[in-house]
Amino acid sequence: MTGKSPSMIVTAALMHGLGMHTGAWMARDGAADDHLSAAMYKDIARTAEAGKLHALFLAEQMTNQEVGTERPCGALDTATVLAVMAAVTDRIGLVGTASTTYNEPYDLARRFATLDHLSGGRVGWNSIATQNPTVVEQFGGGVSLDHEQRYARADEFIDVVLRLWESWEEGALVGDKAAGVFASEDLVHEIDHKGEYFSVRGPLPFPRTPQGRPVIFQAGSSPRGRDQAAKYADVVFTAQHVLQDAIDFRNDMRDRAAAYGRDPDSIKILPGISLVLGSTETEARERKEHLDEVFGTGPNLRKLAKRVGLPVDVLELDEKFPAHLLGPDEEFKGSIGFRRSIVNLAVTEGLTVRELIAQYGGGHHQVVGTPEQVADDMKERMEAGAADGFTLMIDMLPSGIHDVVDMLVPELRQRGLFHDDYEHDTLRGTLGIGPASAVPATAANAA
């Protein structure tokens, strides 16, 4: 496929410290604190770049209050870890989560623009309006923002960050030593923002980045979250178990983007897939069974209960999932997108609670099998219009990344579904989303 745009975007998500699966830290070889080692992140970055993955996606959990001491979580500072990975790579994209609820726009804009400069234009910011109420206890306490307040703050936050990233126009850096002109004052602008949540003068203290601005990822799946993504996001990371739900989600996002005057092709939808790979189906299933067994049913049951908003004691393992007991989404304090996807999977397939625990992949569509079986699934979803590519939820680190590169990537290439090499220097170019452009303030028909 050299010389052509890749038909499938593939990124890999690094979640929960040592892998997406809750039992990863016990099932894997290696020390329980490997997620605190720079060596692991360097190995992952080099391996993923050797496989020509489009990007690595690093989640960030700002506190361990939700998981306690039960397992490691991805609580290291995102920007620092991305910098470590940037230093040992040249082409792969590096995307990190940072909250709009517990950061300030100026600091975040400066931090991610710094990374984008130092990496040569390979950085993305995954914007998240943090819903976990325990995080507020680490930031002075008080009352957590409700759903609408979180998204109102996030809208203003993203708008300020974009304006800061654009506060130096193209060509502002002159660098004329003879004339003693470093930068053109006329092309550097204060933003003088005064809003409901923030007051920011600007500008940033350095020129815009090699790709114009970092790529914006976003993962909100509620109606409010979708509208924000349609307005601002370049890439949408989503959880969709059921194929028709995934098709409907992508169509809805493209329609919403068009309502904001955007080219629908400028927004890429990359649903998560939880992978457990093996050279044979038996090998893959044995790996999955080992991961499930070491962690145990109890913790997995508690995790499912939290994902859907039900008490643990109403979840009978060998009874049908009790969807009729669920309260309305409007009263749910967790991720509405995860909840809807999991519940739709349970209802559509008539699963028992035990079956749902085994199949819901921690929140994402799960595939357990050979590279051929995984490629079949990915191809089906691509051809159905359910995705522009995928975010691979790696079960166990670092072995899961090595399996993707050694087994899945060759299979995708053999089918003509994946590129042979990087064709662009920046993440924006690699993802095929075009140059950065201003986002309209209002939508014509956004819902």
Side-chain angles (χ1 to χ4, degrees):
M1 294 181 65
T2 302
K4 299 179 181 179
S5 298
S7 59
M8 180 186 294
I9 297 168
V10 177
T11 67
L14 312 181
M15 311 284 283
H16 307 302
L18 288 171
M20 179 66 181
H21 196 285
T22 49
W25 75 275
M26 290 183 285
R28 65 187 291 279
D29 295 328
D33 62 352
D34 279 350
H35 64 300
L36 307 177
S37 165
M40 189 184 83
Y41 295 103
K42 291 177 181 178
D43 173 59
I44 289 170
R46 291 186 180 113
T47 301
E49 184 166 78
K52 314 303 180 185
L53 299 190
H54 293 71
L56 286 169
F57 184 113
L58 183 65
E60 181 182 68
Q61 293 167 283
M62 302 181 78
T63 170
N64 73 335
Q65 290 299 303
E66 191 170 23
V67 302
T69 56
E70 198 170 63
R71 67 182 190 274
C73 66
L76 294 183
D77 177 70
T78 301
T80 306
V81 177
L82 292 182
V84 168
M85 293 195 290
V88 297
T89 56
D90 297 306
R91 306 296 291 279
I92 192 167
L94 300 165
V95 182
T97 297
S99 172
T100 57
T101 312
Y102 299 104
N103 280 290
E104 290 295 320
Y106 183 86
D107 182 54
L108 186 144
R110 186 174 68 96
R111 191 161 70 244
F112 276 80
T114 297
L115 282 169
D116 206 35
H117 274 296
L118 297 182
S119 67
R122 296 187 286 130
V123 165
W125 165 41
N126 178 44
S127 169
I128 180 170
T130 304
Q131 49 80 19
N132 185 349
T134 66
V135 179
V136 73
E137 297 167 7
Q138 317 303 335
F139 289 85
V143 179
S144 296
L145 299 179
D146 65 25
H147 185 78
E148 177 55 37
Q149 289 171 326
R150 285 191 291 109
Y151 274 99
R153 177 186 166 100
D155 282 343
E156 186 178 337
F157 191 111
I158 298 170
D159 182 66
V160 172
V161 167
L162 286 173
R163 291 167 62 193
L164 286 167
W165 282 341
E166 296 169 355
S167 60
W168 288 58
E169 294 185 33
E170 289 286 353
L173 179 59
V174 177
D176 187 337
K177 296 180 181 180
V181 179
F182 172 70
S184 171
E185 185 177 1
D186 292 341
L187 299 180
V188 180
H189 309 289
E190 296 177 356
I191 68 170
D192 289 325
H193 175 85
K194 292 181 175 60
E196 181 179 357
Y197 294 94
F198 306 107
S199 178
V200 182
R201 179 178 178 180
L204 280 187
F206 48 75
R208 64 175 57 196
T209 72
Q211 58 179 341
R213 60 168 171 80
V215 175
I216 295 180
F217 281 57
Q218 202 259 20
S221 288
S222 67
R224 188 67 173 81
R226 293 187 191 200
D227 189 58
Q228 183 181 94
K231 182 178 180 181
Y232 294 112
D234 302 302
V235 179
V236 179
F237 169 52
T238 181
Q240 302 293 336
H241 285 86
V242 179
L243 177 58
Q244 188 59 52
D245 289 347
I247 295 169
D248 293 344
F249 180 87
R250 181 170 179 266
N251 288 339
D252 181 55
M253 290 308 307
R254 289 171 63 84
D255 289 344
R256 288 173 185 261
Y260 276 108
R262 301 178 62 188
D263 178 353
D265 290 334
S266 69
I267 186 169
K268 303 299 183 183
I269 312 302
L270 305 184
I273 292 186
S274 287
L275 292 185
V276 183
L277 277 165
S279 59
T280 65
E281 185 174 353
T282 298
E283 184 180 297
R285 295 205 173 278
E286 287 177 348
R287 179 178 172 109
K288 174 65 162 58
E289 288 169 5
H290 181 50
L291 284 162
D292 290 343
E293 287 170 2
V294 296
F295 200 60
T297 301
N300 279 313
L301 188 64
R302 291 194 295 273
K303 182 179 179 181
L304 174 63
K306 189 173 294 184
R307 285 286 196 202
V308 300
L310 285 174
V312 174
D313 58 11
V314 305
L315 297 177
E316 298 288 341
L317 285 171
D318 295 309
E319 299 293 332
K320 296 292 186 184
F321 176 78
H324 63 285
L325 298 179
L326 293 167
D329 285 345
E330 294 75 18
E331 296 176 7
F332 182 55
K333 302 301 183 183
S335 167
I336 293 173
F338 273 135
R339 185 197 208 202
R340 286 180 176 175
S341 185
I342 294 167
V343 171
N344 286 352
L345 172 66
V347 172
T348 300
E349 299 195 7
L351 301 179
T352 66
V353 171
R354 190 187 301 276
E355 290 168 337
L356 183 58
I357 289 173
Q359 294 183 37
Y360 87 102
H364 292 274
H365 171 56
Q366 179 178 270
V367 186
V368 180
T370 64
E372 294 81 6
Q373 290 171 319
V374 173
D376 285 344
D377 188 279
M378 296 169 79
K379 181 180 179 183
E380 178 188 17
R381 292 198 167 219
M382 286 285 294
E383 291 181 346
D388 296 294
F390 302 93
T391 299
L392 309 182
M393 315 303 292
I394 307 301
D395 60 346
M396 190 160 50
L397 295 170
S399 64
I401 285 284
H402 287 270
D403 289 346
V404 165
V405 169
D406 294 342
M407 293 194 286
L408 180 59
V409 165
E411 178 64 26
L412 293 174
R413 282 191 183 133
Q414 189 273 329
R415 298 180 183 215
L417 294 172
F418 191 64
H419 63 188
D420 295 319
D421 203 352
Y422 299 106
E423 298 178 0
H424 302 274
D425 294 326
T426 67
L427 176 58
R428 188 170 293 278
T430 296
L431 295 175
I433 56 178
S437 58
V439 179
T442 58
N445 298 298

